[in-house]
Amino acid sequence: GRQGARGFRKRLPRAEGGSTGGIIADAPGPLMGVLGLGGARAALASAERPGFPFHVLGADDDIGAVGQSGVDAAAETDGLDQLREVTHEALVADACLGWQIETHGPLPLFVARAETDRAASATELAQGPAFDNLMIAAANLRRAATALGKEPRIFCVALDFALEELSGSATAYRDAMIALMARIEAGLAAQGYDRPLFVTRLDAGAPGRATEAQVAGQWELAWNHGDHRLIT
């Protein structure tokens, strides 16, 4: 990878058996989580590896960065492994590491994970299996950090849910997304995390794909998102 020669580490075999995870960078600082929550399109990944393969990692559960897609409950694990593919969240971590290497800064470890399901509204998303798996991902981040002797930190939570919203109301979408952010904040606070930074992007899809309400709802959320830390 672009980081060049450096120190590495690998977990010793566990007494109870099971996987020991992959080889990862022996990096300074906290273990940073780039978590994502969204609809089915957010589970897409590119069949490539990050530019910093030993620094952008996933949970050691044979799922990687793409998550369970709402099909099964995520497994509890404290192991980490390299990614076989990259999602938007993995690319965010990769870009941040690129900025660090350009300034000769330290290269921390990132864990990328996006959880999705087939919710038809932001209200459903807040109550569905993707949300539950997101909380497991946050808990796994803490478990892995503890195993490494590091502090866990949520770098950001990406919200990728717009064209899946079928309520037909811009304000209903905005209000439901605000409620979703509040529920995520409460869930992370219960695990000992600080208030997260949320990131999202305006998504109009292919020409003629998005409805007026879907586009207007994103605009409503961009300028009126309560006291939540949201970057559009």
Side-chain angles (χ1 to χ4, degrees):
R2 291 178 58 197
Q3 73 272 11
R6 63 164 307 119
F8 301 94
R9 63 195 301 180
K10 181 176 174 61
R11 186 166 186 158
L12 293 173
R14 300 178 176 121
E16 65 274 17
S19 173
T20 58
I23 296 173
I24 66 175
D26 188 14
L31 184 63
M32 312 288 281
V34 182
L35 306 181
L37 180 66
R41 295 180 308 137
L44 295 177
S46 299
E48 57 185 283
R49 301 180 74 200
F52 301 87
F54 300 99
H55 291 263
V56 184
L57 309 168
D60 178 25
D61 59 0
D62 292 327
I63 299 297
V66 295
Q68 294 285 353
S69 300
V71 176
D72 295 308
E76 296 182 357
T77 177
D78 62 356
L80 298 173
D81 205 349
Q82 297 171 37
L83 298 180
R84 296 184 295 269
E85 67 285 301
V86 294
T87 57
H88 287 145
E89 291 72 29
L91 290 173
V92 166
D94 211 45
C96 291
L97 288 165
W99 296 336
Q100 285 290 95
I101 206 168
E102 288 171 5
T103 61
H104 305 284
L107 304 180
L109 291 176
F110 284 91
V111 176
R113 184 76 167 211
E115 291 295 349
T116 64
D117 60 29
R118 296 188 175 276
S121 70
T123 299
E124 289 184 20
L125 185 65
Q127 305 296 329
F131 179 91
D132 296 336
N133 284 337
L134 180 73
M135 293 298 107
I136 295 174
N140 285 343
L141 177 69
R142 182 170 292 279
R143 293 185 182 100
T146 299
L148 291 170
K150 292 179 175 292
E151 173 194 356
R153 187 176 301 171
I154 303 293
F155 186 73
C156 66
V157 176
L159 301 176
D160 191 352
F161 192 87
L163 303 191
E164 295 86 354
E165 175 71 31
L166 300 179
S167 67
S169 169
T171 55
Y173 168 79
R174 177 201 64 201
D175 294 345
M177 291 295 285
I178 290 174
L180 172 62
M181 288 189 285
R183 188 158 191 249
I184 293 173
E185 288 176 351
L188 293 179
Q191 296 189 28
Y193 289 106
D194 294 334
R195 292 182 69 202
L197 171 68
F198 296 99
V199 294
T200 188
R201 65 184 188 277
L202 289 173
D203 187 359
R209 170 77 181 273
T211 66
E212 182 178 348
Q214 288 170 336
V215 175
Q218 295 176 75
W219 171 244
E220 289 285 340
L221 182 64
W223 72 266
N224 181 8
H225 44 80
D227 63 350
H228 305 289
R229 301 173 61 212
L230 174 67
I231 293 177
T232 300

